[in-house]
Amino acid sequence: MTRTDTAWQNAELAQTFLEGVRGGIPLAAEQINLMLKIINLALPKVETFLDLGCGDGVLGRAILAKYPNAKGIFLDFSETMLAAAKNKLGNNQNAKFISQDFGVKDWVNAVKSQVQFDLIVSGFAIHHQPDDRKKEIYQEIYSSLKPNGLFLNLEHIKSPSQWLETAFSEVFIDSLYEFHKRNESGKSREEIAQEFYHRPDKVANILAPLEVQCEWLKEVGFINVDCYFKILEIALFGGMKANI
């Protein structure tokens, strides 16, 4: 199957997302706050974590703010995204950056020198992989966690119907419009809608239903699998590795 996710290695596309989309994701702050609450409930402490497909490192930065002594790895195959993550984290000595494509299994070797992780998070990244590869990645994540470790995936999922997909698009466009108004971009809602519906990265989306992905996690061996948050096509879901 031809890879479509390599579009994200384009510096212009990555920068457009960081400047014009990332801050406009609906209920983004609430998603991260809940992520931190789930982590706090699941883990007595966080010593090591991985932000897989880290983008600008927004999830990992939130974890480091909450657990400043944790050591985190930020992994992405987009140099533009990694540069943004490095810039926002400054000289934080507990952050390590790895340029690697988790679409191929070699990414596991890139982090093998590290101890197994207490926590692995991923944000809007795994959905770019074909379904067979998604299942493999969930297995690779499971193998990379310590017993009792936690995996949380903040992800773009597939709508059950075209009507719900349209509803999600309209909610997202409204949120983007409010974001652009706050930043005084001067763009109309219609302009933002046209950009959203014709965005070049859309071809890279290979969405899977939430319920199916939760079943994949259970098949791998994760326990306490659930969706912890959902707003239409955005879901925070995951599970824990059993203490074996």
Side-chain angles (χ1 to χ4, degrees):
M1 182 175 179
T2 303
R3 292 280 298 271
T4 57
D5 60 322
T6 52
W8 284 103
Q9 291 178 307
N10 179 283
E12 183 178 357
L13 174 60
Q15 198 62 41
T16 297
F17 174 80
L18 293 175
E19 293 177 358
V21 179
R22 187 67 186 85
I25 293 175
L27 300 180
E30 288 81 358
Q31 295 160 28
I32 292 175
N33 287 339
L34 183 57
M35 178 192 77
L36 294 173
K37 288 182 184 296
I38 297 295
I39 294 169
N40 185 59
L41 289 168
L43 299 171
K45 58 182 177 179
V46 177
E47 294 179 341
T48 56
F49 73 88
L50 168 66
D51 189 344
L52 186 64
C54 65
D56 67 348
V58 62
L59 300 186
R61 282 186 280 118
I63 293 165
L64 281 174
K66 178 77 173 179
Y67 305 96
N69 294 321
K71 296 188 182 299
I73 290 180
F74 295 76
L75 184 149
D76 206 295
F77 75 163
S78 166
E79 295 298 336
T80 302
M81 294 292 194
L82 281 176
K86 290 177 184 178
N87 182 59
K88 292 185 177 184
L89 278 155
N91 60 353
N92 191 312
Q93 297 301 305
N94 286 343
K96 180 177 180 180
F97 304 92
I98 295 179
S99 177
Q100 190 72 27
D101 179 6
F102 71 79
V104 294
K105 295 182 179 182
D106 284 351
W107 78 267
V108 178
N109 295 325
V111 299
K112 261 188 176 177
S113 61
Q114 310 297 317
V115 297
Q116 286 184 303
F117 298 100
D118 298 304
L119 171 66
I120 297 178
V121 298
S122 186
F124 304 112
I126 296 174
H127 72 274
H128 296 132
Q129 302 301 321
D131 287 356
D132 286 347
R133 179 64 191 136
K134 288 185 183 80
K135 290 187 275 188
E136 291 176 345
I137 290 169
Y138 291 152
Q139 178 65 67
E140 291 157 10
I141 288 170
Y142 186 86
S143 299
S144 300
L145 284 169
K146 295 178 184 177
N148 294 322
L150 176 67
F151 168 54
L152 292 175
N153 191 15
L154 180 58
E155 186 59 296
H156 188 183
I157 59 169
K158 185 176 182 179
S159 283
S161 71
Q162 182 61 54
W163 184 87
L164 286 166
E165 181 181 337
T166 300
F168 170 73
S169 296
E170 290 301 306
V171 168
F172 206 137
I173 291 165
D174 283 343
S175 185
L176 285 171
Y177 179 52
E178 292 302 319
F179 170 72
H180 279 270
K181 278 204 301 185
R182 290 194 300 272
N183 288 276
E184 300 179 344
S185 73
K187 291 183 179 180
S188 68
R189 188 188 184 284
E190 179 59 28
E191 288 175 311
I192 291 167
Q194 288 301 312
E195 290 175 357
F196 179 84
Y197 283 115
H198 299 97
R199 61 195 188 277
D201 60 282
K202 194 173 182 179
V203 67
N205 290 343
I206 308 174
L207 306 183
L210 171 65
E211 296 80 3
V212 171
Q213 296 190 71
C214 285
E215 285 303 314
W216 292 341
L217 295 182
K218 293 174 184 177
E219 291 170 8
V220 165
F222 282 100
I223 61 173
N224 296 323
V225 172
D226 203 359
C227 173
Y228 311 111
F229 173 99
K230 184 175 184 294
I231 173 172
L232 297 167
E233 288 189 7
I234 295 175
L236 175 66
F237 64 97
M240 299 175 68
K241 183 173 183 176
N243 186 7
I244 54 176

